[in-house]
């Protein structure tokens, strides 16, 4: 663990992540246990790990597992997909392992985005070569289902705010492959597989997507304007700094308009170090030198030229989302998904795999011997590791939250000493009765209290749009004016179906339901007709996926038995 910490994997400020995950996994807020982040990744690796280990260990284990998956995925993509040498594939995999988007989000507590490391696996499954004949078609069906399952996991594990960026990243990587290797893969086959995978993911996620949009229809996050850069002349340097220099925070904050709240340095950390930029520059210089010398050269890219503008247009999306023009900003606040975002800087993650691909292809095409290329790849990987070891982590060291009370409470529950329940509404206030926004205010759950001023960003970072009406410090089952002192979660999502308003409390005649809810037990409630249809679609999709996947396994078994 010490070595991993020195490399920047295990952060000294890991406690901030625990602050997030304790909200996401077990916190009850305002009498509303299913927080916005818990809804994000109830079905995810970190959640399931907490069934076997404490949240601190679950976060570290998730970090390691997905770091390894990302490394292996990019190595396989480059080696078996793009056909580069082992040394170049290793260099590219190292770059992806240390990308700032994954590392900085895990350090600061944005555990929702750990699934970003599965992007190269999606691309590889869509692009890998298959044998001709019936077994090749079954492999194609299995790979398409695999990509659909990965995208579904991205959604269920909490990445829905940047899921469009993840899916577009996969598309861009695949188009670069088809552009780079025009004779290796038919574009029509790819289009069918990509569309099929997205369709499978939408079907499997229909139930959750329906619930999300039901909730957002009652609580749209429209009260924050999008922070954007003042003109494209500032956006492009920001992308460059975020990817290569590691000194973007001051530049970002000084050149952005509409900043309703300060963005931390982690929001601008996509660090790939200057290494890939140097390699690409050197490759271009060598290529130009060979052209000037009149020697026979091979270009970096040959193939379907009509794909080039398509790739450029897709890569322009993050720039367009983060460039400010008055009318444009108003339009974005009306676009689904984008309108509920508080910023779109995270879309810069699209450039991470693309830059690594370009660096890898440039290194592979550099006119040097295989031995020299291996030395360059090893030196590049060593430089990336060294820069990460010596990077300034003062911001992460300054995070002050301690997870001790949460970890202790976790073990108390696991040992049977404590039964998890909520008995009171608590409130963090100072001596003057003003709200105290301390970072550990949600720890009141360890004392069986739901925090009245809990962190839940969907209602605003200072709860600007939360319907507080009637909530007060005191016992949750205390009655007043026919209502209990706890909010009914069904009213947040399906108020019409349950005959209530968004944010209403349990009624006195629903005390048994409220009691079950505060003990983390199920209770009956109604859903909308649209939600029932979505549930049916998801159930049918699960059955079809299991059926097709079973048939693929059976065909594989038959093939091996014949051999």
């Amino acid at each position: 663990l010490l070595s991993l910490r020195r490399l920047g994997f295990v952060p000294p400020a890991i406690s901030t992540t625990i602050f997030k995950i304790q909200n996401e996994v077990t916190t009850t807020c305002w009498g509303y246990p299913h927080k916005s982040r818990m809804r994000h990744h109830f079905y995810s690796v970190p959640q399931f790990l907490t069934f076997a280990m404490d949240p601190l260990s679950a976060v570290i284990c998730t970090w390691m597992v997905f770091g390894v998956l990302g490394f292996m995925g990019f190595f396989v993509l480059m080696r078996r997909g793009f056909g580069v040498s082992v040394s170049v594939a290793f260099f590219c995999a190292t770059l992806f392992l240390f990308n700032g988007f994954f590392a900085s989000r895990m350090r600061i507590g944005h555990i929702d985005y750990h699934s970003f490391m599965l992007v190269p696996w999606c691309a590889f499954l869509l692009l890998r070569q298959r044998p001709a004949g019936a077994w090749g078609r079954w492999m194609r069906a299995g790979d398409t289902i695999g990509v659909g399952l990965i995208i579904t996991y991205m959604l269920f594990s909490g990445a829905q705010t940047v899921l469009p960026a993840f899916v577009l990243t996969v598309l861009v990587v695949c188009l670069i492959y088809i552009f780079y290797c025009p004779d290796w893969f038919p574009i029509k086959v790819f289009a069918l597989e990509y569309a099929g995978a997205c369709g499978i993911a939408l079907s499997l996620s229909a139930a959750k997507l329906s619930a999300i949009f039901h909730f957002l229809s009652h609580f749209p996050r429209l009260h924050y304007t999008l922070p954007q850069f003042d003109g494209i002349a500032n956006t492009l340097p920001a992308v460059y700094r975020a990817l290569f220099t590691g000194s973007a925070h001051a530049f970002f904050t000084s050149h952005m308009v509409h900043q309703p709240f300060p963005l931390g340095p982690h929001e601008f950390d996509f660090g790939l170090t200057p290494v890939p930029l140097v390699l690409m520059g050197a490759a271009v210089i060598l290529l130009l030198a060979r052209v000037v010398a009149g020697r026979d050269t091979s270009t970096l890219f040959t193939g379907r030229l009509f794909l080039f503008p398509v790739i450029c247009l897709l890569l322009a999306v993050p720039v367009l989302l983060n460039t400010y023009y008055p009318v444009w900003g108003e339009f974005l606040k009306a676009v689904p998904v984008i309108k509920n975002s508080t910023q779109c800087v995270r879309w810069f993650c699209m450039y991470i795999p693309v830059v690594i691909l370009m660096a890898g292809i440039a290194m592979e095409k550099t006119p040097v011997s295989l031995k020299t290329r291996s030395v360059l790849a090893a030196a590049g990987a060593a430089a990336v590791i060294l820069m990460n070891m010596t990077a300034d982590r003062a911001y992460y060291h300054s995070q002050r939250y301690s997870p001790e009370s949460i970890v202790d409470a976790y073990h108390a529950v696991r040992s049977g000493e404590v039964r998890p329940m909520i008995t009171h509404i608590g409130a963090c206030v100072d001596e003057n009765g003003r709200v105290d926004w301390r970072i550990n205010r949600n720890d009141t759950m360890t004392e069986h209290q739901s925090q009245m001023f809990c962190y839940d960003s969907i209602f605003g970072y200072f709860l600007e749009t939360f319907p507080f009406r009637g909530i007060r410090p005191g016992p949750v089952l205390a009655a007043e004016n026919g209502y209990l002192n706890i909010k009914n979660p069904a009213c947040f999502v399906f108020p019409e179906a349950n005959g209530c308003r968004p944010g209403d409390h349990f009624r006195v005649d629903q005390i048994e339901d409220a009691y079950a809810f505060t003990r983390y037990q199920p209770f009956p409630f109604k859903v909308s007709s649209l939600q029932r249809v979505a549930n049916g679609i998801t159930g049918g999709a699960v059955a079809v996926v299991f059926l097709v996947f079973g048939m693929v396994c059976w065909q594989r078994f038959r093939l091996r038995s014949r051999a």
Side-chain angles (χ1 to χ4, degrees), residues 283-301:
V284 170
I285 292 173
L286 288 174
L287 180 62
L288 292 177
R290 290 172 66 86
V291 171
V292 172
R295 300 171 63 184
D296 182 36
T297 64
S298 60
T299 59
L300 291 180
F301 298 107

Side-chain angles (χ1 to χ4, degrees), residues 350-366:
M350 285 183 61
Y351 299 126
I352 292 173
V354 174
V355 169
I356 298 174
L357 281 176
M358 296 297 100
I361 294 172
M363 180 180 289
E364 186 68 20
K365 289 293 185 178
T366 301

Side-chain angles (χ1 to χ4, degrees), residues 196-228:
C198 292
I200 290 170
L202 286 174
S203 299
L204 292 172
S205 308
K208 177 165 183 173
L209 289 172
S210 174
I212 290 173
F213 285 114
H214 273 85
F215 180 76
L216 290 177
S217 67
H218 303 297
F219 297 98
R221 190 162 58 173
L222 305 177
H223 46 286
Y224 291 138
T225 53
L226 282 176
Q228 295 174 302

Side-chain angles (χ1 to χ4, degrees), residues 321-334:
L321 289 178
N322 287 281
T323 302
Y324 173 73
Y325 294 102
V327 177
W328 177 240
E330 295 175 3
F331 169 76
L332 290 178
K333 290 303 290 185

Side-chain angles (χ1 to χ4, degrees), residues 45 90 117 139 145 175 181 199 244 266 303 305 328-329 334 378-379 382 400 436 451 512-513 530:
V45 169
F90 177 83
M117 301 302 278
M139 280 188 64
I145 289 176
L175 290 179
C181 310
F244 303 117
H266 60 281
L305 295 179
W328 177 240
R400 296 182 300 277
D436 186 347
Q451 176 53 239
E512 293 184 2
D513 295 344
L530 178 60

Side-chain angles (χ1 to χ4, degrees), residues 122-128 130 147 170 174 185 190 193-194 197:
C122 286
F124 171 70
L125 290 176
L126 288 170
L127 297 174
R128 69 169 173 167
R130 294 113 179 180
V147 175
V170 174
C174 292
F185 202 87
F190 163 72
E193 290 187 36
Y194 183 79

Side-chain angles (χ1 to χ4, degrees), residues 29-48:
C29 303
W30 312 297
Y32 179 25
H34 294 76
K35 269 178 51 47
S36 63
R37 287 191 178 272
M38 183 176 177
R39 289 192 305 275
H40 284 343
H41 52 64
F42 186 76
Y43 300 102
S44 67
V45 169
Q47 168 65 77
F48 283 105

Side-chain angles (χ1 to χ4, degrees), residues 86-101:
V86 173
S87 59
V88 173
F90 177 83
F91 166 72
C92 293
T94 303
L95 265 178
F96 190 68
L97 172 63
F98 285 95
N99 79 82
F101 181 78

